[in-house]
């Protein structure tokens, strides 16, 4: 629900949208400026949603290094946090508009609310990139480990978890070193995992780190686990310790079709077009622009799409990377069955989909599919 009117002046961090639904979060102005007319925005998945346009002022209160320092710098103590009450931590997360920054965008204050019937024993801080090409989480761990660790300790207080583990893939040595140094004086563990897609998925991560299987239809909470992205942990520390809302996030702009691949700290609501232009624009061989990564992302029809809280990256694929091939009938090679992280039989799901047989698809557990794209990737 919009809380501002057209032509109203807003400052960085002002609330511009209230959360009125149970599973939702407020939205804050990510720039100083003037509110424009109410409009609609098209998200990468094709949804049309109400949007609040803000015409950015010529001078912003924070830019460049000062902006980065405000978001991830400053004092993030790792001791003396015990006086923060769980409910106060959850309230701060809710007021700051925190959601999961790994892509799912589930409201953080709800995830931090444990169930009486299922106590939380483990908090997993997810430092595994969700997709190939994306490096935002690895960059954040390297340059700002302190707020991540402070946020993990606050999340531990909120959930009552006895154990906190930061999971990082082994191909991120700088991130591993930075986090290991930051947790040295704490009880937080660091688990280095083999780089395997889709390691960043909640169920796959829990299986890799804790050897626990989450049954289809169940959530990590049902197994006594809470999974939190490193970016969300840093934003939680900022919300609780500095009283600042979620207004910016790190976004990867990558792929063979972009002139200058970069990790950018961007205001939520900025257009994809602005990010691409900042990175030097498209190369001549660019053929596909994807919101997110190449495996699970949505192909964009326009760059006039806003960055949301769940935007982890933009992948610009070159002609070589797309490598179009003619589709032929299934040869029953079984490669898709071997790579499916959910132990499904994708060939049967494909046959059910082609036949339009929803009941058959359900019998083969289509609801357990996480749409990781592994089956399509290996199909010959």
């Amino acid at each position: 629900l919009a809380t501002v009117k057209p032509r109203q002046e807003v400052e960085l961090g002002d609330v511009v949208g209230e959360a009125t639904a149970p599973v939702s979060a407020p939205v804050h102005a990510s720039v100083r400026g003037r509110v424009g007319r109410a409009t609609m925005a098209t998200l990468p998945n094709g949804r049309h949603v109400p949007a609040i346009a803000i015409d950015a002022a010529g001078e912003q209160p924070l830019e460049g290094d000062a902006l980065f320092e405000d978001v991830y710098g400053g004092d993030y103590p790792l001791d003396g946090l015990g006086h923060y009450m769980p409910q106060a931590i959850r309230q701060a997360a809710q007021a700051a508009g925190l959601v999961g920054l790994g892509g799912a965008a589930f409201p953080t204050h709800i995830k931090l609310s444990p169930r009486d019937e299922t106590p939380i024993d483990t908090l997993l801080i997810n430092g595994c990139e969700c997709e190939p090409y994306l490096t935002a989480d690895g960059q954040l761990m390297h340059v700002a480990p302190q707020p991540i660790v402070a946020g993990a300790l606050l999340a531990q207080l909120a959930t009552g978890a006895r154990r906190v583990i930061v999971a990082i893939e082994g191909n991120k040595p700088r991130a591993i070193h930075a986090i290991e140094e930051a947790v040295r004086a704490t009880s937080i563990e660091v688990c280095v995992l083999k780089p395997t897609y889709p390691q960043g998925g909640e169920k796959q991560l829990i299986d890799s780190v804790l050897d626990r299987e989450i049954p289809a239809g169940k959530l990590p909470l049902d197994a006594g686990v809470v999974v939190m992205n490193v970016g969300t942990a840093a934003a939680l520390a900022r919300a609780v310790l500095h009283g600042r809302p979620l207004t910016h996030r790190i976004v990867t702009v990558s792929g063979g079709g972009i002139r200058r691949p970069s990790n950018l700290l961007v205001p939520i609501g900025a257009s994809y077009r602005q990010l691409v232009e900042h990175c030097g624009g498209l190369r001549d061989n660019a053929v596909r622009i994807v919101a997110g990564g190449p495996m699970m992302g949505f192909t964009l029809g326009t760059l006039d799409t806003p960055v949301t809280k769940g935007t982890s990256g933009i992948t610009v694929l070159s002609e070589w990377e797309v490598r179009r091939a003619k589709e032929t009938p299934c040869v029953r090679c079984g490669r898709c069955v071997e790579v499916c992280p959910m132990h499904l039989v994708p060939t049967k799901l494909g046959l059910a989909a082609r036949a339009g047989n929803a009941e058959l698809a359900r019998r083969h557990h289509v609801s357990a599919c996480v749409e990781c794209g592994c089956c399509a990737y290996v199909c010959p």
Side-chain angles (χ1 to χ4, degrees), residues 17-93:
E18 288 182 339
T20 55
V23 183
S24 60
V27 180
H28 301 77
S30 57
V31 292
R32 169 195 286 168
R34 177 176 293 180
V35 177
R37 291 186 298 177
T39 184
M40 298 291 291
T42 302
L43 301 183
N45 61 7
R47 288 182 57 204
H48 301 289
V49 297
I52 298 169
I54 299 177
D55 296 324
E59 290 188 11
Q60 293 296 316
L62 296 168
E63 296 181 11
D65 292 342
L67 174 62
F68 183 88
E69 183 66 19
D70 180 79
V71 177
Y72 295 118
D75 187 25
Y76 285 100
L78 303 183
D79 53 0
L81 300 177
H83 68 278
Y84 285 100
M85 301 300 293
Q87 184 59 27
I89 296 172
R90 291 191 284 268
Q91 288 175 346

Side-chain angles (χ1 to χ4, degrees), residues 9-351:
E9 300 286 342
V10 293
E11 293 292 332
L12 172 65
D14 285 352
V15 176
V16 296
E18 288 182 339
T20 55
V23 183
S24 60
V27 180
H28 301 77
S30 57
V31 292
R32 169 195 286 168
R34 177 176 293 180
V35 177
R37 291 186 298 177
T39 184
M40 298 291 291
T42 302
L43 301 183
N45 61 7
R47 288 182 57 204
H48 301 289
V49 297
I52 298 169
I54 299 177
D55 296 324
E59 290 188 11
Q60 293 296 316
L62 296 168
E63 296 181 11
D65 292 342
L67 174 62
F68 183 88
E69 183 66 19
D70 180 79
V71 177
Y72 295 118
D75 187 25
Y76 285 100
L78 303 183
D79 53 0
L81 300 177
H83 68 278
Y84 285 100
M85 301 300 293
Q87 184 59 27
I89 296 172
R90 291 191 284 268
Q91 288 175 346
Q94 184 175 16
L98 298 195
V99 300
L101 299 184
F106 189 78
T108 302
H109 67 278
I110 299 177
K111 182 175 280 192
L112 294 178
S113 302
R115 304 173 182 174
D116 294 335
E117 65 273 17
T118 311
I120 302 301
D121 61 70
T122 305
L123 170 67
L124 277 182
I125 304 299
N126 190 352
C128 300
E129 301 289 354
C130 56
E131 293 219 38
Y133 287 85
L134 305 185
T135 57
D137 290 342
Q139 183 72 5
L140 176 60
M141 288 185 286
H142 171 57
V143 300
Q146 204 76 3
I148 295 173
V149 176
L153 294 173
L154 290 167
Q156 181 182 24
L157 291 171
T159 59
R162 298 191 303 272
R163 188 181 183 193
V164 182
I165 305 173
V166 182
I168 313 174
E169 291 167 308
N171 59 354
K172 300 175 177 61
R174 297 190 306 172
I176 294 170
H177 175 73
I179 294 293
E180 285 180 338
E181 288 295 314
V183 304
R184 193 175 297 279
T186 73
S187 61
I188 295 177
E189 306 167 49
V190 176
C191 179
V192 179
L193 299 171
K194 179 181 177 181
T196 303
Y197 175 79
Q199 192 84 264
E202 285 190 337
K203 293 185 178 182
Q204 288 72 41
L205 189 66
I206 292 170
D207 186 26
S208 296
V209 178
L210 302 174
D211 196 23
R212 297 184 195 175
E213 185 174 342
I214 310 298
K218 297 293 184 179
L219 298 171
L221 286 173
D222 297 311
V225 182
V226 168
V227 181
M228 175 177 284
N229 174 265
V230 290
T232 311
L236 178 63
R238 185 174 185 242
V240 175
L241 302 180
H242 297 174
R244 303 301 295 274
L246 177 60
T247 57
H248 291 72
R249 65 156 299 148
I250 295 179
V251 176
T252 299
V253 184
S254 186
I258 193 76
R259 294 189 182 278
R260 192 173 62 250
S262 307
N263 282 309
L264 307 175
L265 179 62
V266 303
I268 293 165
S271 75
Y272 283 33
R273 185 179 301 279
Q274 290 173 303
L275 274 61
V276 169
E277 290 176 353
H278 181 81
C279 292
L282 304 178
R283 293 183 180 274
D284 294 337
N285 61 353
V287 296
R288 183 179 299 171
I289 303 174
V290 180
M295 302 295 285
M296 299 177 69
F298 294 92
T299 299
L300 290 173
T302 175
L303 284 173
D304 296 319
T305 301
V307 170
T308 66
K309 296 178 182 180
T311 300
S312 55
I314 304 170
T315 308
V316 184
L317 299 175
S318 66
E319 188 172 6
W320 179 86
E321 290 167 316
V322 172
R323 290 187 294 179
R324 293 184 177 90
K326 182 180 178 181
E327 182 179 349
T328 60
C330 175
V331 295
R332 304 293 193 273
C333 66
R335 294 184 187 179
C336 58
V337 181
E338 292 176 353
V339 301
C340 178
M342 301 307 294
H343 311 297
L344 303 176
V345 183
T347 52
K348 292 184 177 180
L349 293 176
L351 289 172

